[in-house]
């Protein structure tokens, strides 16, 4: 059995133009801030049709080249993990098709209950502050709950930046960001990175607590 201070965390993400990738790196830093944690950053593969449509765009090609050395996520990464933190751009208020396609391959793991009791969270990127940061996470909860995972959000009490009235991404549901190339501002902003690091730390600590007590609550009750 793991001790409370250790946890294995995998961060599967999809990114078209690199914004979600940069937010994933901040989440990864947050996981690494927890003593004893081990983290794997994993890329969710592109769909062939989407790749064909976007190839040739300088920004897309550069972002894909930058992520080339990140391993593609495998089912065994999820088995290894005590916590899973998903990253996706929004597509009309929902997770990207690439992420949903990968989740749709998890039927066998769902049937065997292999993901039950694992901590989970989500971070997103959108085209604008009103582009669906909150709805993307909320609509993504359905498959994560079907898989039996324990959702972890971001606390107001330790994340003053999500109380802002400025155009800063993030919510109690999870970190968020948006591209800002036209304004010359780097994305994610420092506040958005702070929210991402916070989520990485919190999911890691919750995952460690769940695993140290045997995982899913029903397993605890059965042993009592």
């Amino acid at each position: 059995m793991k001790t409370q201070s250790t946890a294995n965390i995998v961060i599967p993400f999809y990114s078209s133009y690199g914004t979600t990738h940069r937010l994933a790196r901040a989440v990864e830093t947050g996981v690494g801030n927890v003593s004893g944690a081990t983290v794997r950053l994993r890329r969710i593969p592109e769909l062939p049709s989407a790749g064909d449509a976007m190839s040739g765009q300088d920004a897309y090609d550069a972002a894909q080249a930058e992520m080339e050395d990140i391993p593609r996520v495998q089912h065994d990464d999820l088995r290894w993990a005590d916590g899973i933190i998903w990253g996706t751009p929004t597509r009309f208020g929902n997770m990207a098709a690439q992420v949903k396609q990968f989740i749709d391959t998890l039927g066998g793991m769902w049937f065997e209950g292999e993901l039950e009791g694992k901590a989970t969270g989500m971070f997103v990127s959108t085209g604008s502050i009103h582009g669906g940061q909150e709805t993307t996470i909320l609509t993504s909860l359905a498959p994560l709950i079907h898989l039996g995972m324990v959702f972890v959000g971001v606390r107001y009490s330790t994340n003053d930046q999500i109380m802002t009235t400025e155009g800063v991404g993030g919510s109690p549901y999870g970190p968020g960001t948006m591209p800002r190339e036209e304004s010359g501002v780097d994305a994610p902003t420092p506040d958005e990175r702070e929210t991402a690091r916070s989520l990485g730390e919190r999911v890691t600590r919750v995952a460690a607590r769940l695993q140290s007590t045997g995982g899913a609550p029903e397993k605890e009750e059965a042993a009592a």
Side-chain angles (χ1 to χ4, degrees):
M1 182 180 295
K2 297 179 183 294
T3 66
Q4 183 174 327
S5 61
T6 64
N8 296 330
I9 305 296
V10 64
I11 305 172
F13 74 95
Y14 169 75
S15 186
S16 297
Y17 297 101
T19 310
T20 310
H21 173 210
R22 291 190 291 274
L23 197 60
R25 290 292 188 185
V27 175
E28 181 184 29
T29 298
V31 175
N33 288 340
V34 180
S35 177
T38 304
V39 61
R40 293 179 182 177
L41 191 66
R42 293 292 185 264
R43 182 162 51 111
I44 294 174
E46 181 61 275
L47 295 176
S49 58
D52 291 344
M54 290 186 285
S55 292
Q57 300 178 32
D58 291 343
Y60 177 81
D61 291 344
Q64 297 306 306
E66 185 178 356
M67 296 182 289
E68 190 173 5
D69 292 337
I70 300 174
R72 293 187 175 188
V73 65
Q74 305 292 332
H75 289 182
D76 281 344
D77 291 314
L78 308 188
R79 294 187 178 99
W80 166 86
D82 303 312
I84 304 167
I85 310 176
W86 306 87
T88 181
T90 189
R91 295 293 185 265
F92 306 107
N94 287 273
M95 68 172 67
Q98 291 83 348
V99 181
K100 183 60 165 61
Q101 191 277 334
F102 176 72
I103 289 177
D104 284 348
T105 70
L106 303 180
M109 298 184 74
W110 164 81
F111 184 78
E112 297 294 337
E114 292 183 83
L115 300 179
E116 292 181 4
K118 294 178 186 276
T120 194
M122 179 164 281
F123 56 96
V124 299
S125 64
T126 59
S128 69
I129 193 67
H130 301 297
Q133 291 193 6
E134 295 186 2
T135 60
T136 298
I137 295 177
L138 291 173
T139 54
S140 299
L141 282 177
L144 303 185
I145 291 172
H146 274 264
L147 291 165
M149 290 186 278
V150 180
F151 183 78
V152 178
V154 176
R155 294 179 292 176
Y156 279 113
S157 61
T158 56
N159 293 276
D160 291 342
Q161 67 274 10
I162 66 173
M163 294 290 289
T164 182
T165 58
E166 303 299 323
V168 175
S171 72
Y173 315 117
T177 188
M178 69 207 89
R180 296 174 172 89
E181 289 86 354
E182 294 183 1
S183 61
V185 176
D186 289 335
T189 66
D191 281 346
E192 292 166 349
R193 291 178 189 272
E194 178 59 29
T195 306
R197 288 191 294 268
S198 179
L199 180 70
E201 291 182 15
R202 193 176 188 214
V203 170
T204 304
R205 296 186 190 281
V206 171
R209 288 289 295 273
L210 287 169
Q211 295 307 313
S212 71
T213 56
E218 55 268 27
K219 294 182 181 179
E220 281 188 78
E221 295 168 4

